[in-house]
Amino acid sequence: MPAQPVETEKIAIFFNGKMKRYLRFIQLPLTQRKFCESCQQLLLPDDWGVHGEHQVVGDVSVTQLRRPSQLLYPLENKKANAQYLFSERTCQFLVGLLSTLGFRRVLCVGTPRLHELIRLTTSGGKKSNLKSLLLDIDFRYSQFYMEDSFCHYNMFNHHFFDGKPALEVCRAFLQEDKGDGVIMVTDPPFGGLVEPLAITFKKLIGMWKEGQSQDDSQQEMPIFWIFPYFLEARICQFFPSFCMLDYQVDYDNHALYKHGRTGRKQSPVRIFTNIPPNKITLPTEEGYRFCPLCQRYVSLENQHCEHCNSCTSKDGRKWKHCFLCKKCVKPSWIHCSFCNHCAVAYHSCEGPKDGCFICGELDHKRRSCPNISTSKKANKAVRKQKQRKSNKMKMVTTKGQSMNHTFGTRKRKRRDRVHQYLCS
Ligand SMILES: C[S@@+](CC[C@H](N)C(=O)[O-])C[C@H]1O[C@@H](n2cnc3c(N)ncnc32)[C@H](O)[C@@H]1O
Ligand SMILES: [Zn+2]
Ligand SMILES: [Zn+2]
Ligand SMILES: [Zn+2]
Ligand SMILES: [Zn+2]
Ligand SMILES: [Zn+2]
């Protein structure tokens, strides 16, 4: 029986397998470098026969090999892992910001396009000396990267598909220079639940912490978590030191999540971070400006409310102050006397807890309400309006099918919430 390989040998075997294949590919003359679009695979001459009937492109250049996110098609999985790739504008902004902030290593969790741009910028000249390690569930990327720059990984349960050697790659990356100069940037699928993600990120933080010296025990690992603004409360529940930046993250392949300076069509995706926001400069040429009172950059229409003493808009539009709620709310919201707070027009009222659902008086119930006949008519009108609105929403859903990357009943609830936020 052959002897079991010891740990270091296992790591060497792990590195050698895929590296050999990639090295063979880049040594081929351009005319022999083929990529099968049907199988999403780089082909060596031995593979050509099997892919003879497939959609194959030739002359794969070094430039194409360096931008795999353009060569591979984005996964359109309706469930959890629809791939939304950063627009050039957002990706360039992120790389610029990371190097301005002085980081030297970026742990890219579910950000393949950022990973490739960091590597391109680094190899292209002296502009940046950032290193990057990509952790992603999309195995297709393993063809383009050595094992020291890509790990096949599930961010919902912190699982490294290639076992201990891959985990050690990640650990070494986080702990290099005693953990100094590293940041994690993650852009999980939006349908993903915050809790399992937070648990995973805390495990990665733990790994980074193990490499810290005792004096740095209070330090936090810097993080950029890219997620929709309406999950702010949920993220801050797990990471209280995080704040949300106004910068609108946008994507190449998502019509709803496009960058727009004003109006409805603004991306709801933001950056959550534990880096003090006054250290983060947002592009003034896009209209972002520094609010000296809040000590952070805010979007064009986000106005400082003197009552809240804060620039309160979350969605990029100008919000209005409600004196009854004692806070700023979305411009389209109205103060509802049944619910006793501001809400979208035509919502289903919670109603007063122990009173009449119709008029709000506490001395009778809905059935004996003196206003029942008039309210019946009003209810009918409201129902009709709701129906119209719901039909309109259904149309939006059909157009934006790929947004529905959520699960079961939660999927429906989340989708409704997304719609409520996007449509109000
Ligand atoms: C919303 S996309 C973000 C892509 C990013 N905007 C970019 O351009 O680099 C989500 C990414 O997370 C990856 N992903 C989805 N589910 C995952 C999982 N369970 N574990 C790790 N990565 C996952 C997808 O493959 C995809 O690359
Ligand atoms: Zn094929
Ligand atoms: Zn302000
Ligand atoms: Zn206010
Ligand atoms: Zn109000
Ligand atoms: Zn109400």
Side-chain angles (χ1 to χ4, degrees), residues 153-158 191-203 225 234 238-239 407 410 414:
Y153 177 74
N154 187 346
M155 67 168 101
F156 287 101
N157 59 4
H158 186 54
L193 301 174
V194 170
E195 187 171 7
L197 290 170
I199 293 172
T200 291
F201 301 154
K202 284 181 195 268
K203 286 185 181 155
W225 178 346
R234 194 82 182 118
F238 290 97
F239 295 100
F407 322 98
R410 276 194 180 125
R414 176 71 55 86

Side-chain angles (χ1 to χ4, degrees), residues 309-331:
N309 193 24
S310 168
C311 287
T312 44
S313 169
K314 304 281 182 192
D315 64 5
R317 292 178 295 169
K318 186 181 165 193
W319 281 23
K320 60 177 188 190
H321 190 83
C322 171
F323 288 93
L324 295 165
C325 292
K326 299 193 181 67
K327 64 175 187 182
C328 283
V329 295
K330 285 188 174 189

Side-chain angles (χ1 to χ4, degrees), residues 160-180:
F160 287 86
F161 292 89
D162 290 311
K164 188 129 193 276
L167 178 109
E168 291 309 326
V169 166
C170 180
R171 190 196 304 279
F173 188 86
L174 288 174
Q175 295 183 355
E176 195 179 311
D177 289 342
K178 288 192 174 161
D180 199 36

Side-chain angles (χ1 to χ4, degrees), residues 69 75 80-87 90-91 94 108-116 134-141 151-157 159 161 186-190 197 226 249-251 253 405:
S69 77
L75 296 177
N81 62 345
Q83 258 171 344
Y84 296 120
L85 298 164
F86 294 134
S87 66
T90 286
C91 218
L94 287 172
C108 286
V109 183
T111 55
R113 185 158 276 182
L114 177 65
H115 176 68
E116 75 188 26
L134 173 63
L135 310 186
D136 202 288
I137 203 156
D138 186 350
F139 187 64
R140 299 172 306 167
Y141 281 98
C151 299
H152 188 204
Y153 177 74
N154 187 346
M155 67 168 101
F156 287 101
N157 59 4
H159 177 71
F161 292 89
T186 183
D187 186 11
F190 308 137
L197 290 170
I226 295 166
V249 172
D250 67 350
Y251 299 89
N253 52 335
H405 35 277

Side-chain angles (χ1 to χ4, degrees), residues 285-312:
E285 62 279 12
E286 288 178 20
Y288 297 102
R289 62 185 172 82
F290 190 72
C291 172
L293 297 164
C294 296
Q295 282 290 300
R296 68 178 184 102
Y297 275 83
V298 294
S299 56
L300 186 67
E301 292 187 76
N302 192 358
Q303 295 205 344
H304 194 88
C305 168
E306 57 178 11
H307 311 288
C308 299
N309 193 24
S310 168
C311 287
T312 44

